[in-house]
Amino acid sequence: MIAAEALRRLAERAGIGRGYHDIWGAYHETDATTALALLAAMDLARGEDDAAAGLARLDDAAFGRTLPPVAVFDVAAAPYGFPIAVPVAEAHRELRWTLDLATGERWDAPLVPAALEPDGERVVAGIARRRYRFQWRDRLPVGVHRFSLLDRDGEVLGTMALAIAPSRCHQPDALLAGERAWGLSVQLYSVRSQRNWGLGDFTDLAHVVEIAAGLGADAVGLNPLHALFPDQPDRSSPYSPSSRLFLDVLYLDVEALPEFAECDEVRGIVHGETFQTRLAALRRSELVNYPGVARAKLDVLAKLYAHFRARHVAGRTDHAQAFEAFAAERGEALQQFALFHALEAHFRAESPTPHGPVAWPDDYRDPSSGAVAAFARAHEAEVDYHAWLQWHCERQLARAAARARELGMSIGLYLDLAVSVAPDGADAWRWRDSFALGVGVGAPPDDFNPKGQDWGLPPFDPFRLREDAYRPFRETLAANMRHAGALRIDHVMSLMRLYWVPAGASPADGAYVHYPLADLASILALESVANRCLVIGEDLGTVPDEVRAVLARLGILSYRLLYFEQDDEARFKRPSAYPADALVAATTHDLPTLAGWWVAHDLALRERLNLFPTAALRARQIAARPRERVELLAALAREGLLPDAAADPARVPPMTPELAAAIEVFLARTPAKLVMVQPEDVFGQREQANLPGTTHEHPNWCRKLDVPLERWRAHPTLASLAERLFEERGAISRRDAEPAAP
C-alpha cells in the first residue's frame, strides 16, 4: 500500500493525469502499469518499489540546488518571486546577486538569505538546507535574462534563466485595428511549374507570393518546411521531420544557386538532353516522385558543393566567408544537425537498411562523445556539405519572405510547426535527454479510431524541458518564426497536455501528461513578439477550457474550419457567429477538398480502404452528408450568396466554381482576422493532400496541383474570387510594387 501511494504521488508530481473522459463520456483511469511505463520514460522510477526514492530525488533536487533552472513571468506580473536554497548554517552570510539583462547590462546587489521569507527546509546529503522566497519587485524588461547568486569570494553558487514575457503575442497593426486579411494556403511540394524539377521549390514560393500579393492577399500559408531525410526521400510526411530547426533541402531551386551560374561542367550536365529528359518526366508525373527528385537534385548539389570548396573555400572568397558567418551564427544547432546527417549518410553507405542513432555503434549515440568529435574532424567536408545546403535553403526562403514584405503583405509567409519530430532524426539525437524516447505522442480512442492513435513521435519530457530552461522549445520557435509573418502551432493543446503511449502498448493504454502551460505560453509570446510573428493555434477536437482561455488572453488566433462549425441542430453557423481572433478556412490538408466533400469522395475512399472503424459510423457519416450539403446551401441562401444555378430546390447542384467561390465569400464575411483559401478548392480538385490513418494505401503528400503556376495569374476563377474577397474584406495594404511574371 505504501508503494502504491508513493507511485500515485510520483505520477501526480510528474504531471501524469489520473485519468480522462473519452468522447463518449466514459472515464478511463490511468493504471499502475501505464504510470510506471511513463515514469520510466522520464527516468523517475523503474518500478513501483522505486517510486518513494523517485519522490525523494525530486525533493532533494528542489532543495539541493541554489536556484531553479528557469523562472518565467508575464511582464505585468511583478513582483516576480522565485526560490533560493542555501545551507541553514550559511543563511545569515551576505551573498551577492547579479542580473545580466538580455540588453547586455549587468545589475548586482548584496543579499542575506535569512532576511527573506522562508519556504521550507530539508536535509540533503546530510546537510540541512532552507529555501527562501526571493522577490524582484520592479518590472523588468521583456527578454531572457540571467540571474546568478555568488558568495563573498565571487564564486557562482547558482544561476538561472529569468524569462520575462510580454502579455500578448504579436499581431500586425492592421489586424489590431480591426482589418481582416485573406491568404492562399499552399502545399509547396504540390506546385507545378515549367521550371521546377518535379516538386515546388523556393523560387516557386517567391512567385506564389508575387501572384498572391497582386491579387490582394496578405498571407501565403505553407505546409511544414522542416528538414526531412534526404537519403530516405520516401519519408515525405512534413509532420514527421528529422529536425524542426532546419529546412527540407528538396525545396532548393538548384539553378538559382550562385555556384550553378559559375560551374560550366554542371550546367552542361543539367542542360544536356539526358538530364532534361529526366526533368521533363518528373514535371509530367501526376504525383511527386520524391526518389526521382532527390536523385536529380542531390547528384547536382554534390557537384556544386565540390565546386564551392574548390573555388570559394580554397580561395577564401567573400562567398565562402558568408557561409562561415552563417555557420557561426547558427552555431551548435547547425553543427550537430549537419553532423547527424553526415553520420547517417556514413553508416547508410556501409549498410543500406534504415539506421538512425539506435542502430549506430554505441559511441555515436551521444553527440558530445569523443567518437562523434573525431568523426567531425575526420569528415569535415561531409559535415560542412549539410551545413552548406541549409545555408542556401535559408537564403532562398529569406528571399521569398523579403519579397512578401516588399509587396506590402501585412503577414507574408505563414509557416506550420509540426507537433514533434521523428525519433530517429537529428533533433531527437541532439536533444535525446529532453525527449521521452520510450513513448509516442498519440490520441485516445474516439469514433474514427476506436483503438486510439500512436503517431510514433516522441514528446518533450516536461521535467527535462524545464531543466534545459525551455531552450529546445525556444530554439524551435525562433527557428520557425525567423522568416514567418505567422506560425501555426500544430495541436496547440500540447502547451498543456499530450497523450503519451508507452512503447509496445496499445494506444488505448496511454495517458495524458501535463505540461507547464503558463510557462510555455509565455515563452511562445516572448518569441512571437521578438520575431514579430502572428500565432495561430490548431485547436481542433477536444480542447481543455484552460487552453481556450490562454489562447484568448495571448491573442493567439483560433483555427476554425467550415465543416466543423455547426450548431447544436447541425446547421452551419452564420458568419457573424465566428470569433474575431480566428483563422477561418473551408478545409485543410487532412480533410476533403470542397469538390471531394461535395460528392462524398472522401467517404467512398475511406470505404474502399476499409478505414471506417465500425459499420455504424460508416452508415451514420454516409447518411449525414446529403443533409450537410442541403444545410450548407441553406446557409449560403441566408446570406444571399447562393448562385442562381444552385437555387433549384428540386436537386442538389454540382460543385461549380461559382458555388465554391460562394462558400469562400461566406467565410470572408466572418469577423475572423484571417481567411485562408486552398488552390485545390479554387481549381476544383477532388483529392486531398493527406488521408489520416493511411501510409502506403494513399499517396499522401504527393498530390500536385492541376493548374501550373504560370497560369494562376490569368486563371478566371482565382481572379474573380480575389475580387469578391476584396469586396468583402477590403485591402489591408497598398501594393506599391508591380509583381513580375513568373
Side-chain angles (χ1 to χ4, degrees):
M1 182 62 72
I2 293 175
E5 175 61 17
L7 175 62
R8 185 195 64 76
R9 289 174 53 210
L10 181 60
E12 187 174 290
R13 286 277 294 274
I16 299 171
R18 292 188 179 185
Y20 67 90
H21 287 92
D22 64 25
I23 64 165
W24 304 287
Y27 184 73
H28 298 262
E29 186 172 352
T30 303
D31 63 26
T33 301
T34 296
L36 279 172
L38 301 187
L39 289 170
M42 297 181 191
D43 237 0
L44 292 177
R46 295 294 169 186
E48 189 171 291
D49 294 338
D50 191 31
L55 281 169
R57 287 192 293 272
L58 290 180
D59 289 335
D60 285 352
F63 283 85
R65 66 194 318 161
T66 304
L67 291 167
V70 64
V72 182
F73 300 99
D74 184 312
V75 65
Y80 317 117
F82 49 85
I84 289 174
V86 296
V88 173
E90 300 177 12
H92 291 273
R93 294 184 181 179
E94 185 179 280
L95 305 177
R96 194 162 198 85
W97 62 256
T98 64
L99 181 65
D100 293 294
L101 295 170
T103 59
E105 296 177 77
R106 168 172 280 195
W107 299 345
D108 68 283
L111 168 70
V112 176
L116 304 175
E117 179 185 352
D119 186 28
E121 191 172 316
R122 182 176 177 84
V123 175
V124 180
I127 298 174
R129 295 180 63 86
R130 184 174 295 145
R131 195 163 58 186
Y132 294 91
R133 193 73 178 168
F134 181 88
Q135 283 200 331
W136 191 283
R137 299 192 178 280
D138 299 322
R139 181 177 291 199
L140 286 169
V142 167
V144 181
H145 316 300
R146 177 65 55 181
F147 183 89
S148 302
L149 202 61
L150 297 78
D151 66 15
R152 285 173 296 181
D153 299 325
E155 181 179 348
V156 176
L157 303 176
T159 188
M160 175 189 80
L162 178 57
I164 307 297
S167 298
R168 287 176 65 82
C169 290
H170 170 77
Q171 287 192 11
D173 291 341
L175 298 189
L176 289 174
E179 303 261 19
R180 298 174 302 153
W182 72 276
L184 289 176
S185 185
V186 179
Q187 303 288 311
L188 183 54
Y189 60 83
S190 72
V191 174
R192 292 180 189 267
S193 73
Q194 294 172 0
R195 43 145 303 279
N196 74 33
W197 289 17
L199 174 143
D201 59 28
F202 290 127
T203 295
D204 288 330
L205 173 58
H207 292 155
V208 170
V209 164
E210 292 175 336
I211 293 167
L215 292 169
D218 275 279
V220 171
L222 297 161
N223 55 287
L225 304 179
H226 306 321
L228 301 182
F229 298 83
D231 55 348
Q232 301 174 70
D234 280 332
R235 295 178 66 172
S236 57
S237 171
Y239 291 94
S240 184
S242 171
S243 173
R244 295 185 293 179
L245 274 69
F246 296 99
L247 298 164
D248 185 354
V249 300
L250 294 189
Y251 289 125
L252 274 173
D253 175 3
V254 177
E255 295 179 79
L257 269 60
E259 291 86 346
F260 185 84
E262 298 170 349
C263 189
D264 293 340
E265 176 193 358
V266 170
R267 287 203 314 279
I269 293 171
V270 170
H271 294 155
E273 182 179 352
T274 300
F275 201 89
Q276 287 297 310
T277 300
R278 288 174 65 187
L279 294 187
L282 291 171
R283 291 177 185 131
R284 283 195 309 270
S285 173
E286 286 304 304
L287 301 175
V288 175
N289 178 352
Y290 284 101
V293 172
R295 282 192 298 272
K297 290 199 173 189
L298 296 177
D299 286 351
V300 174
L301 287 167
K303 291 180 172 65
L304 292 178
Y305 176 65
H307 167 85
F308 170 75
R309 290 190 66 85
R311 176 169 179 171
H312 295 286
V313 175
R316 295 291 299 149
T317 66
D318 290 346
H319 194 53
Q321 291 178 48
F323 167 64
E324 290 172 6
F326 168 79
E329 180 189 352
R330 294 294 183 269
E332 176 200 35
L334 177 63
Q335 172 69 7
Q336 293 201 341
F337 170 84
L339 249 175
F340 171 87
H341 282 283
L343 281 163
E344 179 70 354
H346 174 78
F347 290 119
R348 189 172 291 278
E350 294 182 351
S351 171
T353 55
H355 281 279
V358 71
W360 296 351
D362 290 348
D363 289 348
Y364 295 91
R365 297 179 189 178
D366 181 354
S368 63
S369 73
V372 170
F375 178 91
R377 290 190 297 271
H379 299 268
E380 178 186 359
E382 293 96 312
V383 175
D384 276 356
Y385 169 62
H386 293 280
W388 175 82
L389 290 173
Q390 288 304 313
W391 178 47
H392 281 301
C393 285
E394 181 90 8
R395 286 159 59 98
Q396 292 189 1
L397 180 61
R399 279 197 288 272
R403 190 65 178 132
R405 291 191 296 271
E406 290 167 6
L407 294 170
M409 299 180 86
S410 65
I411 296 171
L413 300 187
Y414 156 34
L415 303 185
D416 196 352
L417 178 66
V419 69
S420 188
V421 296
D424 57 343
D427 284 1
W429 180 66
R430 179 187 175 206
W431 287 324
R432 71 199 186 290
D433 292 332
S434 296
F435 283 103
L437 295 175
V439 297
V441 176
D446 59 23
D447 259 345
F448 286 95
N449 297 278
K451 296 181 180 179
Q453 299 176 70
D454 181 356
W455 304 325
L457 307 174
F460 278 132
D461 179 326
F463 270 101
R464 297 174 192 168
L465 195 58
R466 181 173 169 77
E467 286 295 315
D468 287 339
Y470 303 121
R471 181 185 167 198
F473 183 59
R474 285 174 45 214
E475 281 192 28
T476 300
L477 290 173
N480 285 273
M481 291 178 172
R482 185 174 291 118
H483 300 299
L487 182 68
R488 173 185 179 271
I489 308 296
D490 188 36
H491 199 71
V492 75
M493 291 80 80
S494 63
L495 296 175
M496 176 184 169
R497 69 181 189 183
L498 277 172
Y499 189 76
W500 287 24
V501 180
S506 163
D509 295 326
Y512 279 106
V513 174
H514 291 259
Y515 288 75
L517 173 61
D519 282 7
L520 296 182
S522 289
I523 294 294
L524 179 57
L526 182 61
E527 292 299 334
S528 166
V529 170
N531 292 280
R532 297 186 59 79
C533 184
L534 175 71
V535 179
I536 295 107
E538 189 270 292
D539 54 349
L540 302 176
T542 303
V543 184
D545 291 340
E546 301 96 310
V547 173
R548 289 270 192 228
V550 166
L551 296 185
R553 177 174 60 81
L554 291 181
I556 296 172
L557 300 194
S558 182
Y559 195 70
R560 302 300 176 99
L561 300 179
L562 172 71
Y563 298 156
F564 304 138
E565 292 300 308
Q566 301 180 33
D567 62 23
D568 293 339
E569 297 181 11
R571 294 177 302 190
F572 284 92
K573 295 178 182 177
R574 291 180 177 273
S576 59
Y578 284 70
D581 271 339
L583 176 152
V584 171
T587 181
T588 187
H589 56 269
D590 282 338
L591 294 170
T593 64
L594 283 177
W597 182 87
W598 194 254
V599 297
H601 177 67
D602 57 310
L603 301 181
L605 186 59
R606 287 173 61 83
E607 185 172 23
R608 179 164 60 82
L609 296 177
N610 196 28
L611 294 179
F612 285 109
T614 65
L617 178 64
R618 168 189 167 278
R620 190 161 67 246
Q621 290 198 353
I622 290 174
R625 187 62 55 86
R627 178 193 54 76
E628 290 177 317
R629 285 196 297 260
V630 170
E631 290 293 347
L632 183 53
L633 292 173
L636 295 175
R638 286 194 297 270
E639 292 294 315
L641 291 172
L642 194 62
D644 291 341
D648 183 354
R651 69 183 185 92
V652 175
M655 176 53 70
T656 61
E658 293 75 21
L659 182 54
I663 292 170
E664 303 291 0
V665 172
F666 176 88
L667 296 176
R669 287 188 177 177
T670 68
K673 291 182 176 178
L674 182 59
V675 168
M676 298 301 293
V677 177
Q678 287 191 156
E680 289 91 339
D681 295 325
V682 177
F683 302 149
Q685 294 184 209
R686 286 190 181 184
E687 302 293 347
Q688 63 196 74
N690 179 55
L691 184 62
T694 64
T695 51
H696 305 297
E697 307 93 329
H698 185 263
N700 297 325
W701 316 115
C702 295
R703 298 284 182 191
K704 291 185 182 181
L705 291 168
D706 289 344
V707 179
L709 185 58
E710 291 81 6
R711 289 170 45 199
W712 285 25
R713 192 186 305 278
H715 195 278
T717 305
L718 182 56
S720 63
L721 174 60
E723 290 180 7
R724 296 187 68 184
L725 293 175
F726 171 80
E727 292 171 2
E728 294 292 341
R729 309 217 119 206
I732 285 185
S733 308
R734 180 180 298 278
R735 312 297 183 208
D736 295 321
E738 181 67 26

